[in-house]
Amino acid sequence: MREIEVLSDAEVTLLADRRTSGPYGLSGGHPGAPGKAEIIRLDGSVVKLPGKFNVRLRKGERIRIESPGGGGWGE
């Protein structure tokens, strides 16, 4: 997980995949966890976002990005 706080007003774009389902497993392994993206606003509210978006952030707001987990191998 990464959390980035903007130090000035900024426009943020994210282009990511695997947000609805995680990476598949191989040879009977379980799939990995899907990724997430959230904006933490100045008032503390959290806005969940899709994998591809463009948003304006105000100084002090944060973006939290969780990369998808890897799929498993074998049983």
Side-chain angles (χ1 to χ4, degrees):
M1 176 178 70
R2 294 173 298 243
E3 193 167 295
I4 301 165
E5 181 177 334
V6 295
L7 301 178
S8 64
D9 291 356
E11 186 169 336
V12 175
T13 300
L14 179 68
L15 300 173
D17 288 317
R18 297 285 180 194
R19 294 308 196 230
T20 56
S21 62
Y24 55 87
L26 295 174
S27 298
H30 293 284
K36 296 183 201 175
E38 301 172 330
I39 298 295
I40 299 95
R41 298 288 184 189
L42 290 173
D43 64 2
S45 63
V46 177
V47 180
K48 296 184 185 219
L49 298 166
K52 294 170 176 54
F53 65 87
N54 181 280
V55 66
R56 292 282 295 163
L57 297 181
R58 293 178 21 211
K59 178 181 177 180
E61 292 183 325
R62 295 171 284 151
I63 180 168
R64 180 182 300 145
I65 301 169
E66 294 184 34
S67 299
W73 174 264
E75 292 185 39

